[in-house]
Amino acid sequence: MSGRTWGVLLVLCGAIFLEGIDIAMLNAALPSIRAELGLTTGELQWVMSAYVLGYGGFMLLGGRAADLFGRRRMFLLPLAVFLAFSGLGGLAGNGWTLVLARFVTGACAAFMTPAGLSVITAGFPAGPHRTKALLVYSGTGGAGFSVGLVVGGLLTAADWRWVFFAPVVLAALILAAGLPLLPRTEDARTEDARVARTRTARTPPTEPAGARPGCGRPPRTHLDLPGALTVTGSILLFVLAVERATHAPPVQTVAALAASLVLLLAFVRIERRSPAPLVRPGIFRTHSLVRANLTGALFTCGFFGFQFIVVLYLRELRGWSAPETGLAMLALGADAVLAPVLTPRLVRRFGNARVILGGLLLAVLAYAAFLPLGADRAYAAMFPSLLLIGIAFALAYGPLTIVATDGIDPGEQGLAGGLLHTSFQFGAALGLSATTAVMSLGGPDPLTAYRTALLVPVLSAVLAVAVSPRGRAAPVQAPRSSRPAASSDHAPQQPLARKGTDNG
């Protein structure tokens, strides 16, 4: 790979590192935020969920926007807004201002992430180079999470507001590097014209009677806002219903679930009728993509629920300081080292599906080993579970990304990445909500509540094993000189070195 290509990958890795460190630093600061702003456990959960809901709710829109308006534009503009609202979060004087800031930064990340991922999947040739780039990319996200656990604890010891100000500096550096390095991809009209030429070459167009030949126009760029709003509303209402299920009247819970279902059905109807749907229904005929999305949602459901429980257990029950908690959680970041080093070798030898399954089985073992939680459990007894979860993340996350985007047409790489990260973030939001709800079933004793809530990650990991991708994800082979397009309706893959005419 050329120096410029490595520079592009460095910028994209910086963005995913920013997202990882942003989430992890907040985890370490949660108890301090609760103490200063006087938040309840449910309100504290919404500080976390606001980000993942904005992230997951707008991820599909972000993925489609990257395909339509250019990946560079949809990466850099949201990054600038992310910078501004992260700073606003540091200035928040109450819980709901903080929730708003987190929701907006999550929505910005929803545009940045699929744009960055599609730069890799559409710009790197299929084979070992793309696999290595994807695994380095996912491993960098894990590194951000690991560093965030420690740095977040240190910053919180000074003032929890620095947890929001630190990403401002990092985002500014990424923005400054991305402006000259990121390639300009072709915009939607150029893409549509190229797609139209491909169709014309295979099937003569039919023109209205009396029309002059060649006067047809490429379809307009269309962004499916109704679809984005309905699916976001559906996710929001569903998570709200789960979070309030144990302390709200049953009528309210049923009403929220019913409204969520109505919005979901409306979303499906909109997508079937839209000339440019947010999610093309035919993409779900790719079974590997469907399995990767279901597995990703369940895996992150368990992971985020588990780390939420552990942070509260160490900080509030055991009385550990923020730096001590961050260092204790550092074992979860084992994927930062293993993902770019060990995982590619395992994928080459065993294939993506088997590596993913191995990671999920390790997660089941790790969560189950944490179930006999005691009020004075030694860290040496907790460490194996934390380390195994870090290894599980290394084995599952990157290969899931590969499986979910492999074989998808270049014109829908943003959509495929958006679907996968929507599943990741929906699973995270559901894990936080379900964990909070189950904790309330444990009664007034915090230890009993934590033990009961640990069932959520265990069951999530078991279900992830059941639906994980199967044997079609073969070991990676050497790259082929050419690869036929899966459909004539999509443009050929464009290398990173190419500069198009996009204004983004």
Side-chain angles (χ1 to χ4, degrees):
M1 292 189 291
S2 67
R4 181 182 178 88
T5 301
W6 277 111
V8 171
L9 183 59
L10 181 63
V11 169
L12 301 177
C13 287
I16 200 69
F17 181 88
L18 171 65
E19 294 172 24
I21 198 172
D22 185 60
I23 295 172
M25 287 196 302
L26 181 63
N27 291 340
L30 286 175
S32 298
I33 293 172
R34 188 219 290 264
E36 181 170 329
L37 300 182
L39 304 181
T40 65
T41 299
E43 291 170 337
L44 190 67
Q45 178 257 319
W46 276 109
V47 173
M48 289 284 293
S49 292
Y51 183 91
V52 295
L53 285 175
Y55 201 170
F58 286 93
M59 186 68 72
L60 294 180
L61 177 60
R64 189 59 181 149
D67 292 332
L68 289 174
F69 300 121
R71 300 172 184 114
R72 183 178 187 270
R73 180 187 292 121
M74 290 297 103
F75 180 87
L76 294 176
L77 288 179
L79 178 60
V81 180
F82 181 101
L83 184 156
F85 274 83
S86 183
L88 177 64
L91 301 174
N94 57 69
W96 290 112
T97 301
L98 193 57
V99 168
L100 174 63
R102 294 299 294 169
F103 183 82
V104 174
T105 53
C108 291
F111 284 83
M112 291 160 47
T113 301
L117 179 61
S118 62
V119 169
I120 296 176
T121 55
F124 285 75
H129 287 312
R130 183 191 294 176
T131 298
K132 182 177 181 180
L134 287 171
L135 293 175
V136 169
Y137 179 75
S138 61
T140 305
F145 189 85
S146 305
V147 172
L149 291 172
V150 179
V151 173
L154 296 175
L155 293 176
T156 301
D159 190 331
W160 64 263
R161 296 181 186 277
W162 282 106
V163 165
F164 293 89
F165 293 141
V168 172
V169 178
L170 182 56
L173 293 174
I174 297 169
L175 187 62
L179 285 169
L181 283 175
L182 286 181
R184 297 178 180 271
T185 54
E186 297 181 31
D187 65 15
R189 288 184 175 85
T190 306
E191 178 75 11
D192 289 335
R194 190 170 58 199
V195 170
R197 288 197 301 270
T198 306
R199 288 174 174 167
T200 302
R202 298 176 63 91
T203 305
T206 55
E207 298 181 347
R212 291 180 298 171
C215 67
R217 296 178 180 177
R220 291 181 178 181
T221 300
H222 177 79
L223 197 59
D224 186 14
L225 284 175
L229 293 174
T230 49
V231 72
T232 301
S234 178
I235 293 173
L236 283 168
L237 287 170
F238 182 79
V239 175
L240 176 65
V242 173
E243 192 275 327
R244 293 181 55 83
T246 57
H247 52 271
V251 174
Q252 291 185 11
T253 301
V254 173
L257 290 173
S260 174
L261 179 60
V262 169
L263 286 176
L264 181 61
L265 294 175
F267 171 70
V268 173
R269 186 179 181 88
I270 289 169
E271 298 310 282
R272 287 179 175 176
R273 295 187 173 190
S274 174
L278 189 67
V279 180
R280 181 178 61 85
I283 200 170
F284 293 109
R285 297 192 186 101
T286 307
H287 294 167
S288 58
L289 178 143
V290 174
R291 283 186 173 272
N293 276 264
L294 290 174
T295 304
L298 290 166
F299 182 67
T300 54
C301 176
F303 179 81
F304 275 84
F306 176 80
Q307 57 91 20
F308 184 66
I309 296 167
V310 173
V311 168
L312 292 180
Y313 166 75
L314 294 178
R315 290 294 308 276
E316 299 191 344
L317 185 67
R318 301 292 295 273
W320 289 21
S321 67
E324 288 173 336
T325 301
L327 290 171
M329 300 284 283
L330 190 59
L332 288 175
D335 63 307
V337 176
L338 298 179
V341 177
L342 176 63
T343 308
R345 298 179 182 178
L346 295 177
V347 167
R348 284 196 297 269
R349 181 170 182 179
F350 300 107
N352 290 302
R354 291 181 180 177
V355 174
I356 292 169
L357 180 61
L360 297 176
L361 291 174
L362 285 180
V364 174
L365 177 62
Y367 296 144
F370 216 83
L371 283 173
L373 193 62
D376 56 352
R377 192 175 194 185
Y379 180 70
M382 294 185 278
F383 179 78
S385 289
L386 299 174
L387 181 61
L388 285 178
I389 293 169
I391 297 173
F393 207 95
L395 297 182
Y397 185 78
L400 279 173
T401 304
I402 296 171
V403 171
T405 57
D406 187 44
I408 303 297
D409 292 324
E412 291 186 319
Q413 284 293 332
L415 173 60
L419 282 170
L420 179 64
H421 283 276
T422 296
S423 298
F424 283 151
Q425 298 309 315
F426 176 74
L430 181 60
L432 291 168
S433 298
T435 299
T436 303
V438 174
M439 281 176 65
S440 65
L441 298 176
D445 178 29
L447 184 58
T448 303
Y450 297 145
R451 287 172 176 167
T452 306
L454 282 170
L455 293 174
V456 172
V458 173
L459 294 177
S460 297
V462 170
L463 290 175
V465 169
V467 302
S468 64
R470 297 306 184 220
R472 290 185 64 183
V476 175
Q477 304 295 331
R480 291 174 287 181
S481 59
S482 63
R483 176 183 176 187
S487 169
S488 63
D489 290 348
H490 298 281
Q493 177 173 297
Q494 298 297 312
L496 277 173
R498 177 184 175 114
K499 292 185 180 180
T501 58
D502 182 33
N503 295 324

